[in-house]
Amino acid sequence: MASVELPVLKPGDFGSDQDVRWCPGCGDYSILAQMKKVMATLAWPREKTVFVSGIGCSSRFPYYMNTYGMHSIHGRAPAFATGIKSCRPDLHVFVITGDGDALSIGGNHFMHVVRRNVNLNIVLFNNRIYGLTKGQYSPTSELGKITKSTPMGAIDNPMNPLSLAIGCEATFVARSIDVHIKHLADTLKRAAEHPGVSFVEVYQNCNVFNDGAYKYATDKSVKSDNIIEIEHGKPLIFGKNRDKGIRLNGMQPEVVELGKGITEDDLLFHDELAPEPTLAYLLSRMRYPEFPEPIGVLRCVDAPRYDELLNEQVAQARAEKGEGDLDKLFHSGDTWTVT
Amino acid sequence: MSTEFESETDHSKAVLKIEEATVRFCGDSGDGMQLAGTQLTNTSALAGNDVATFPDFPAEIRAPRGTLAGVSGFQVHFSSTDIYTPGETVDALIAMNPAALKTNIADLKSGGVLIANSDAFDKKSLEQAGYDDNPLEDETLDSYQLFQVPMTDMTRRAVEGLDLSQKEADRCRNFFAMGLAFWLYGRSLEPTRRFIDLKFKKLPGIAEANRRALTAGRNYGETTDAFVSSFSVDKAKLSPGTYRNMTGNQALAWGLMTAARLSEKELFLGSYPITPASDILHELSRYKNFGVRTFQAEDEIAAICSAIGAAYSGHMALTTSSGPGIALKGEAMGLAVMLELPLLVVNVQRGGPSTGLPTKTEQADLLQVMFGRNGECPMPVISARSPADCFEVAIEAWRVAARFMTPVMILSDGYLANGSEPWRIVNYKDLKPIPITHPEAPTNGKPFMAYERDELLARPWAIPGTPGLMHRVGGLEKADGTGNVSYDPINHQHMTDTRAQKVANVAQVIGDQEVMGDPTGDLLVLSWGGPYGSCRTAVTRLQAEGHKVSHAHLRWLNPFPANLGEILRRFKKVLIPELNMGQLSMLIRNQFLIETIGLNKVQGKPFQVAEIIDKAKTLLP
C-alpha cells in the first residue's frame, strides 16, 4: 500500500498574513517562533489546529498563527476550548494565556479545565505584570512590587502557577523560559503530544513594564546557579560546574555541594511519572533566591480525559439505546388520541 | 403508550356534569403536592380534557414544617373546552395543614369544595399558621363546602402491616389526597398506579403503601356520607391527533433536539444550574443517544463560552439560564454577536432583580435581553406563549440563528417552564428541514473571506478541520469581508450598521403579525410570552359581549413583525398587559411613536383573566 505523505510544512507556513504587533523586544516573539517550529515538527494538518486565547498581550497570539483561532474574552479561553474539544476531539486545541488572564479573572476556569483533564495544551506567558493595561501588578507579581496601582507596594501574596496546576491534579506540568529557545521548543512539543491537559508556564520578559523580571534565570553569568533543568530519572544537579544538587532532608529540599562526601546517589532523583503529585509539588515550591528554580517537565501522568469520556458516553448511549428516534420519543409514556 | 380507559368510579352516588374545574393541592413543601398535581393533570389529560397547570412553590427546599413560608401548591385546570390558562378562582382546594389553608383560602370561590386534613389542625400547627382558633371549628369557612378528612389517621391505617415507620407512612398522605380528588372528578387510578410501579420499582414496600393510600382515598370518597356527589368533565374537543402532556421546559428541550436533527447537527448544551431553567439541562442530559452533549460548567460564563466554542467548531450550540445567569453571560453574548456565530441563549425568566423570587414568574428581563450588553449589540429575541409552544419556538429560534449566523435569545418564564398542557404530537417527517451549509476551500485561488455576506447579510460558517479556510475570529472589530482586526473608524460604523441590519432582516423570514378578531377596533390587547392565555381568554370573552376588541400576540420581540406598526395604528387604543412595569410598552412607544396603556403586575403570579377584562373595560366606550 502506498503511503500518503503529508506535505512537509516549515515554521514559516504557520505564520498568518497579519502584522505582529507586540512591542519590539517582547518575549512573546520568541514563544511565537518556537511554537511555529514545533508545529512544523508535529505533522498535524494546519486546519486541525485551533488556538484559543483570552485577553492580554499574549492573547493576540491566535491572530499570528495560520491555523484556526479564536481571540475570546478575558480569562475564559479554557471554557471556549472545552466546548471546541468536547465537540471535536479530532482537533488539536491550544489555550494561550497570560498570568493576569489565566490566574486572575480566569482563575476559576483554569482550575476547572485542569481538574477535568480536558485534552488541551495551555501555555501561560508569565511576565508577572499586566502589559496590555499598561503596568499594573498581576497575581504573580512579588510582594512589595511598586506599580501604578500599587504605589506603596503590592500587599497580595503572589500565586504560584505550577503549584496551583498541580493542586488541581494537572496531568502534565512544565516550565520553560522565553529565551531558552531549544528548551522551550522541546517543552512545547512534549506538552502538545501529551494526552490530557498540559500546562506550560513560560517565563516571559515584558521589556516595557517589567524588564528583567527573570534576569536571574536568563543572565548568562548567573542563570546556571538559579535554574535547574530537571529530567526524568536524573538527579537534580545544577551550577556552572554542575557541582551543586538538591537533596531531601526529611520533607524539605536542601541545596548541597557535590564532593565532600556527597555523591549523586544522595541527591533527589526526578520522577515525572510519580502517580502522587507530591514530588512535582515540592519542585514547584522551589523559588529563587533560596533555590534554583526548576525548568522542564515536573509531572507527566496519564488519567481519563473529559472530552473522551463525554464522547464515549454518547457512543455508549447510542450502542445501548440505538440512535435516538424522535417519533418514538414523542410517543413514549402516556399519550391519548382525539378523533 | 396510548391509553384509553373508562373511569373506575362506580356511580353509586350522583354525578354532576360540569364543563371545567380548577383544583389546587396545597401543603408543606415536602408533602408531595407537586406530585399530586402532576398526577391529576396527567390523568385528566389522558381522560381527554384540555389541561393547564400552575405549580407554585417556595424557594426554600424545606422551609420549617407547618410555616406559611413553606407552603407549596399545584393548581390544575381541566376542561371539556379549549383552555388557555391554569384557571382563575379555585373550585376545589385540598389543604394538608393550617398554613396551606391560610395562604390559599382566598383563591377558593364561594361555595367551592374545601377538603382539609383535619388531623393536621392541632394546636401547634394552628399557632404556626397564626390562627388563634381552629378555622375548621368556627364560622369562618361557612361560605365553602368544608369536608374535614382525617387523612393522616386514615393513611396510617391504610398502610398498617407494611412495616413502615410512622414517617414513611405519613409520606403517603399525598396519595390519599390524590385518591380522594380522583374520586371527586371521576378519574381513573390506573395511570397513577403505573406511575407508582415505575417510580418505586426498587422500593416495593413504599410502592404498596402508596397504592393502598391512593385506593383508600378513592374509597373514602365513595363510601363516606360526607360527599353526596362527584363531578364529571367531558372530553375536550381538541383537534384530532395524538396528544401528550408537556411542561414548557420539556417541550423546549425536545424542540431543541428536533431542531438539531432537522439541521443534521449534534446538540451541545453548556449550562449552569439555576431555577427555573435547570430542568432543560436535566432533560437534555438524558438523550445522549440523540447526539446531545451536555456540559455542566463551573459557572454561567463558562457555560456560554463553552457553547460559543461548540458553535465555532460546527455544532448546534446552546446555553440555558435565568435572569441572574443571563446577566453574567452578557459579555460572551457580545462576543457571539461580534463573531457572528449561531447560538441559542435561553432565558427562563423569574422574579427579579438580583436573586429576586427564584421560584416565581415574571417577564421583566425583556429590556435586559434587548440592551444588557456593551456597545451596539443587537440580538434577535423570540418568546414562547405557552408550555407546548416552547417546542416550536426552539425550532424557529434555531432556524433564524443558523440562517443569519447570530446568537438568538429565547424567552420563557417560570410559569411556562413548570406549567403544562397537552401537546399535539407532530410527525418528524412533517417538519420543515433546516438546511445548513458549511463552505469548502475556494477553488479559484482567492483567499477565504470569513466575513463575506449573502443577501440577508449572513456570513459563511466555516468550521475548523476544513482545509483552506483557516481564519481567526475574535472580539476586536472586524474588517468587512476579510474579518481581520480593524480599527478603521468608517469600517466600525459600517460593521455596526451591518450587524443591526442583519437582525432587522430577520423580519423578512418571520412572517406577518396576525390579529385575533377584527383588524380594526376600539382596543387592541397586545401581549407577549406567558400572558398569552389570559389575554386570549379575556379578549374572547369581551368579543362575546360585543366589544370591538382584538388580540395580537407577539412571538418575536426583536425584530418586530414588519406589519406591526400598521396594525397598532388601526386601533383606537392599545393595551399591553405585562408581568413587568412596562417594558414592551417602552419598546413599542419608542419604535412606533404611539401611545400605549400598560397593565403591569409583578407579584410572582400570572395574570387572571378578570384583571385583563376589568382593565380593558375601563378603556372601552
Side-chain angles (χ1 to χ4, degrees), chain A residues 47 61 79 86 110 121 148 192 267 308 320:
Chain A
E47 66 271 13
F61 195 94
S86 295
F110 177 80
N121 310 297
K148 282 178 195 156
L267 299 181
E308 278 179 27
E320 285 172 7

Side-chain angles (χ1 to χ4, degrees), chain A residues 1-150:
Chain A
M1 200 174 117
S3 67
V4 181
E5 302 248 336
L6 285 166
V8 177
L9 293 170
K10 298 187 186 69
D13 294 324
F14 288 91
S16 74
D17 59 353
Q18 301 298 293
D19 291 337
V20 182
R21 291 193 181 161
W22 286 313
C23 305
C26 175
D28 290 358
Y29 284 98
S30 166
I31 307 175
L32 179 63
Q34 299 319 309
M35 184 63 86
K36 289 182 194 166
K37 206 183 283 176
V38 169
M39 287 284 121
T41 67
L42 287 170
W44 294 338
R46 274 180 304 185
E47 66 271 13
K48 291 278 191 184
T49 306
V50 186
F51 280 87
V52 185
S53 65
I55 297 293
C57 296
S58 65
S59 290
R60 302 294 174 95
F61 195 94
Y63 290 125
Y64 308 141
M65 292 294 294
N66 188 12
T67 61
Y68 283 90
M70 184 190 283
H71 176 220
S72 72
I73 52 179
H74 207 7
R76 323 296 177 190
F80 291 94
T82 299
I84 295 171
K85 189 69 189 173
S86 295
C87 291
R88 297 285 305 278
D90 60 313
L91 300 174
H92 304 284
V93 185
F94 286 79
V95 170
I96 303 294
T97 184
D99 42 317
D101 193 53
L103 304 175
S104 202
I105 190 166
N108 186 32
H109 309 302
F110 177 80
M111 174 168 89
H112 288 281
V113 78
V114 167
R115 62 108 176 165
R116 289 189 185 108
N117 198 31
V118 183
N119 191 358
L120 305 169
N121 310 297
I122 304 172
V123 185
L124 184 147
F125 298 13
N126 186 0
N127 55 21
R128 310 185 82 172
I129 201 77
Y130 282 3
L132 192 77
T133 50
K134 298 185 180 171
Q136 301 83 3
Y137 74 116
S138 91
T140 53
S141 294
E142 57 275 25
L143 267 175
K145 179 79 175 173
I146 306 267
T147 71
K148 282 178 195 156
S149 58
T150 50

Side-chain angles (χ1 to χ4, degrees), chain B residues 148-327:
Chain B
Q148 298 192 44
V149 182
M151 290 190 209
T152 309
D153 181 53
M154 284 197 287
T155 304
R156 283 178 194 169
R157 279 195 277 140
V159 304
E160 251 172 29
L162 286 177
D163 197 27
L164 298 186
S165 68
Q166 185 154 303
K167 198 174 159 196
E168 285 171 324
D170 287 354
R171 284 178 72 176
C172 300
R173 268 183 310 216
N174 61 332
F175 282 89
F176 184 94
M178 268 183 255
L180 183 51
F182 284 15
W183 173 81
L184 196 59
Y185 291 98
R187 300 298 178 213
S188 167
L189 303 188
E190 213 36 55
T192 300
R193 286 184 179 135
R194 283 206 307 270
F195 164 83
I196 291 171
D197 290 345
L198 204 66
K199 171 100 178 166
F200 301 102
K201 207 187 303 181
K202 289 181 183 150
L203 300 163
I206 302 290
E208 177 59 20
N210 285 332
R211 234 180 272 126
R212 285 196 199 173
L214 180 73
T215 309
R218 194 268 312 267
N219 291 348
Y220 176 80
E222 182 57 31
T223 50
T224 179
D225 288 340
F227 294 97
V228 292
S229 64
S230 66
F231 304 98
S232 85
V233 178
D234 275 350
K235 289 184 180 195
K237 288 158 202 68
L238 300 175
S239 351
T242 302
Y243 288 80
R244 63 177 301 126
N245 204 36
M246 291 271 260
T247 66
N249 275 343
Q250 186 183 21
L252 192 58
W254 287 19
L256 293 161
M257 284 160 55
T258 306
R261 186 62 57 87
L262 287 170
S263 57
E264 297 179 2
K265 285 282 168 201
E266 300 214 327
L267 180 62
F268 178 90
L269 166 66
S271 188
Y272 187 76
I274 184 170
T275 302
S278 298
D279 280 339
I280 306 171
L281 166 65
H282 305 160
E283 184 71 12
L284 286 173
S285 298
R286 299 169 59 198
Y287 298 111
K288 293 198 164 63
N289 63 321
F290 284 79
V292 175
R293 285 165 182 76
T294 54
F295 171 57
Q296 184 178 313
E298 56 271 22
D299 63 23
E300 297 281 4
I301 299 174
I304 185 171
C305 292
S306 67
I308 295 172
Y312 181 65
S313 75
H315 276 229
M316 173 179 168
L318 164 77
T319 189
T320 51
S321 192
S322 188
I326 297 295

Side-chain angles (χ1 to χ4, degrees), chain B residues 7 29 31 40 45 53 65 89 160 167 199 274 301 331 343 370 391 479 507-508 572 588 603:
Chain B
S7 159
S29 57
D31 270 351
L40 181 59
T53 68
R65 283 197 72 81
T89 49
E160 251 172 29
K167 198 174 159 196
K199 171 100 178 166
I274 184 170
I301 299 174
E331 186 190 8
L343 172 76
M370 285 290 294
F391 181 84
Q508 295 180 33
K572 289 185 187 142
I588 293 286
Q603 298 168 9

